Amino acid sequence: MVIPDSTFVSYVDSLHLWQEKVMSGDGRLYSVKYFSDSLLTIQELQEQYYYSNGRLKSEAKYKDGKLSGEVHSYYSDGRVRRSDTFEDGYLREGNC
């Protein structure tokens, strides 16, 4: 299990895009979040979580604080575990 130890927040470009990386004490990546910020209000957010082996665990997108678009989760070997489609925070379609 990876326990978050360090958080790094950095400004990515002039479009108000920010990146937040959370790392474990031994340097393994735990999560990455990309978000746009307009007047200090998060408009859009994309987050990714990782297994301790470095493979992607899940990824999701939010718009105005609600799940929006494709949401995927994966097994630790990289196979797709679940794929869902959200609209305005509501599940529209899901596949296991």
Side-chain angles (χ1 to χ4, degrees):
M1 181 171 123
V2 177
I3 299 172
D5 189 51
S6 301
T7 301
F8 303 95
V9 177
S10 58
Y11 186 66
V12 178
D13 62 25
S14 61
L15 298 174
H16 302 286
L17 183 64
W18 294 80
Q19 177 186 62
E20 174 189 275
K21 283 187 178 183
V22 178
M23 310 289 286
S24 68
D26 61 3
R28 287 184 282 175
L29 185 61
Y30 178 74
S31 69
V32 177
K33 295 179 183 180
Y34 300 94
F35 52 97
S36 66
D37 185 0
S38 176
L39 298 174
L40 301 177
T41 303
I42 295 174
Q43 302 296 313
E44 295 183 21
L45 170 72
Q46 178 181 346
E47 60 184 9
Q48 302 167 328
Y49 289 90
Y50 294 85
Y51 286 104
S52 59
N53 66 5
R55 289 188 184 258
L56 187 61
K57 184 176 188 176
S58 66
E59 56 187 341
K61 294 180 183 177
Y62 295 82
K63 186 171 183 174
D64 296 325
K66 298 175 185 174
L67 280 170
S68 179
E70 299 289 321
V71 175
H72 303 286
S73 62
Y74 304 91
Y75 291 104
S76 61
D77 65 3
R79 291 179 297 126
V80 175
R81 183 176 189 174
R82 185 169 178 94
S83 292
D84 298 313
T85 302
F86 284 82
E87 185 179 319
D88 201 28
Y90 294 100
L91 178 65
R92 296 296 179 203
E93 183 180 340
N95 296 306
C96 287

